[in-house]
Amino acid sequence: MYHRIKTPKSTYYYKKKKKKDAILQQFSQLYPCFSQSVDQTAHSKINEDSDYKEILNKTDVSNDEEKNSECETTDEDLSFDGKEQTIEVIDELEESSLINMCLLSLFYSGKFTQDAFRSVLKLFNLTTDSDIPTNFNSLMKILMKETGQNINYNKKWFCHNCKDHISLFQAKQRNCNNCKTRLSTFYYIPVEDQIRRLFTKKILPVKALDIKNTLLIEDIYDGDFYKKFKESVDSNNPNSMESNYSFILNTDGIELSRKSSISIWPFYLAINELPIEIRYDIDNIIIAGIMVSDGKPQDFSLFLEPIILDLKMLEFGLVVDSFVYKFFCIFGVFDKPARSMILNTTNSNGYFSCIKCYQKGLFIPFKKGSHHVYPYEKVDEQLRNNESYNIDLSKSQINLLCEKGIKGKTILSKLKFYYPIESSIIDSMHSIFLGSIKKLFVYWFEHSIKEPYSLKHCLEEINSRLKNIRPPYFINYAPRDISDFKLWHAHEFMSFILFFAIPVFYEIMPSQYFKHLLYLIISLEKLYSRQINSPLLKEVKIFLTNFVQDLESLYDIHLLNSGMHELLHLVDLTFNCGPINNYSCFPFEELNRKLTSLINGKDLIGDEFIKLWSVSQCLNIFLQNQHNSSKFVGFLSENFSLRSSNRKKNSKELKLGREHKVSLESLEPEIIELIKSNYKDKIYSIKFFQKLNFNSKIIQIDDCTRKFCNSFIKYKNSYALVKSIIGFENDVSFLCKKIYFIDNPFFIHGFNSFKSSFFIGAYSTDYFIIDDYENISVVLGCEYSKNSVFLTDFNGSHLFT
């Protein structure tokens, strides 16, 4: 239920240093007078003492060196976007406003506390002639005036023990008047105000979706449930724009500190009609409410009541520019404890706890007690639906007893299109990766080596293979030691099963267990594809059924927990709601990480959270209103928002990295001839580069010293290793070493055409040049032997992690 958000120390300090250096460089370029005044002050003090003349001379030399170094090429200097860079002149009033907003953006990008930021503003006023506000709140007021926005929220106190709202006798009162229990605080942020902000930022409205009955499943709108929803609402599209929108909701508890039991529960809403690239972007998410609780709350109903009322009002419509736009909540995704509390159903460790079917499960002895498991059964004939739910709910209310997992009515049923069974989605993050996959790790690496499935005796070799894998850019973290798997995050288990398991376990894991694991790996590859071919889901269902069915005989019955059981429902879930990547808890967990990074105070946590989050949203609106290309606007656009992996960038700007010094004479004769045939008389004018960035892709030359490798590529139906990136004026090409396909042994006999995306390839001596960088995709490659390599064309750049 609670998740501590951790980052490996090495990664944290590296990113922090890199970000700090970039911000300081931009800051010095933006405010040269600041650095000049500091230098002048230093020189005046040094000149006062003759003992420091030698130091002064050295300082002058180093300053000259710095000036010369500014002319050197960096990663950010070389860009072929086809546009001329222009700087517009702006008046003093506008410049003052922009400087204020740039400082405000620095607060977020630099991750300052408000006290530290106050000191920065004070120093800025001392060393410049600019009249800068002295604290965050003053800058915030200027921003709100500039954008015409307000920060509105309602705050209530609630005692979970007395189950009642409490009126405070004192401003700093934190305990109940009656039972002295610590109070929970409810914050309600008007949803309508936030939707209007999205219209102001031109995020809404979006063009009306053209839903086609194709065989491809790409997003939520390809699911059967969404199609039924669209058929049920009246369509009144103004200017071909969408008039009916839908939400997916999420909430989960975040523990802020190990030393405190205080947790916060944000209630998120994401708009399904937004493109998936920006749907879960922090600037487009709606926060309907926040609960600050001492420990785990026992009941959500009272907290959710005002939010449900807000959502009910939006079902009637919202008038913007004379058009009516309606909003409906149709999906919810939660981890299992939160889901059972909100839906008012049995916990995941009880009878009839599956929300998709009627399998009861059973309790079996385990260690010194017992636990609940799901022995394999066919589930197709015992599925739940809205009609059966209503029957069970009626019996539960009449008998005042739990009826087949249904304890009572859920407050979400008050929403017009929220059906507790069809609308509540199985969360792949907790169920598959922190549930099923992590459980398999326990069996492989903690059970006795006498067990046939145990891999403890191969741990050293497995770790060696794992550490030799250098993942591409779309896998955020290099793999960690297997021995630390209990500290792994969900995305690490996801990366392992999709990208590392086959090259790590091949010819190490016993063949029958490796074959059994292939059922799961191949199924997840298909379910997590960017485009899912619906006819293939029939085979996926067979594979997942075979995987779950064989677990008891290959391992034992204790492995059959609720997560393993829910694998049987993934195909139906995909047909009903679209790709499971597009609605898991992964993007919401990323929001939790970013938003809790805003909180530094120990008191008034919710107030601080809402203020800082609202200011971030309004900075976006301010930036949208700027129509010049001054250096201040450039600085603001780079630093105004909280960076998040939820935003899948789609920039067409091409950037080249540092120049790579290569002598043509040092190249092999056949390579020189190949380059000559491509560039002819321009061969002595070309330059070699280390890296290229385009459309969020990173392509680098082969370098075995890095932790990450972006050198293996796929172009059309060919695979290659990038040896050189060649640039001439606005043209870029790649010198590649071809890799030939050898074999794909990663399939199940009887399903020969239904294979994993992994295969084994061999390096060739053939070279060729690619000049169509737009159609190149980076793939994962890792060593199999001296002259051969594992490759997979499964690209994970679209995955939320």
Side-chain angles (χ1 to χ4, degrees), residues 512-525 539-540 542-548 550 748-749 751 754:
Q512 61 176 335
Y513 288 93
F514 186 75
K515 172 189 171 183
H516 179 252
L517 184 60
L518 280 178
Y519 280 124
L520 180 61
I521 294 173
I522 295 172
S523 298
L524 293 179
E525 283 181 359
E539 280 78 12
V540 172
I542 294 171
F543 271 39
L544 290 174
T545 299
N546 289 346
F547 177 78
V548 176
D550 293 342
I748 307 296
H749 291 289
F751 297 89
F754 200 65

Side-chain angles (χ1 to χ4, degrees), residues 28-43:
S28 62
Q29 290 174 356
L30 194 59
Y31 306 112
C33 58
F34 183 85
S35 58
Q36 287 171 8
S37 61
V38 173
D39 290 342
Q40 289 168 4
T41 305
H43 278 269

Side-chain angles (χ1 to χ4, degrees), residues 48 72 80 91 116 120 162 171 286 377 488 616 636 657 727 729 756:
E48 288 174 3
E72 293 178 5
F80 300 148
D91 59 42
V120 170
C162 300
I286 293 167
E377 292 180 13
W488 284 16
S616 174
L636 186 58
E729 296 181 352
S756 168

Side-chain angles (χ1 to χ4, degrees), residues 172-231:
K172 293 188 177 182
Q173 179 181 338
R174 294 294 174 266
N175 296 325
C176 176
N177 305 322
N178 302 319
C179 64
K180 307 305 178 185
T181 304
R182 187 173 179 90
L183 298 173
S184 294
T185 314
F186 296 170
Y187 296 85
Y188 300 106
I189 313 168
V191 176
E192 180 180 333
D193 291 355
Q194 298 176 68
I195 292 175
R196 290 190 182 279
R197 277 184 194 166
L198 293 177
F199 279 99
T200 303
K201 292 188 291 186
K202 309 300 183 186
I203 301 298
L204 293 177
V206 298
K207 287 186 177 181
L209 296 172
D210 183 17
I211 301 175
K212 300 177 181 177
N213 292 318
T214 65
L215 297 178
L216 292 178
I217 300 175
E218 298 181 81
D219 206 345
I220 284 176
Y221 47 74
D222 293 315
D224 294 337
F225 187 86
Y226 186 89
K227 291 176 182 178
K228 291 177 183 177
F229 157 70
K230 294 300 286 184
E231 292 171 0

Side-chain angles (χ1 to χ4, degrees), residues 123 272 327 444 480 485 504 543 550 554 618 622 624 643 719 726:
L123 178 62
N272 296 318
F327 294 82
W444 291 333
R480 286 198 279 176
F485 80 86
V504 166
F543 271 39
D550 293 342
L554 289 173
C618 293
F622 178 86
Q624 293 274 340
R643 304 299 180 191
Y719 295 84
I726 305 169

Side-chain angles (χ1 to χ4, degrees), residues 340-354:
S340 63
M341 279 196 291
I342 292 172
L343 296 184
N344 203 6
T345 58
T346 304
N347 291 330
S348 61
N349 57 354
Y351 290 131
F352 296 108
S353 57
C354 179

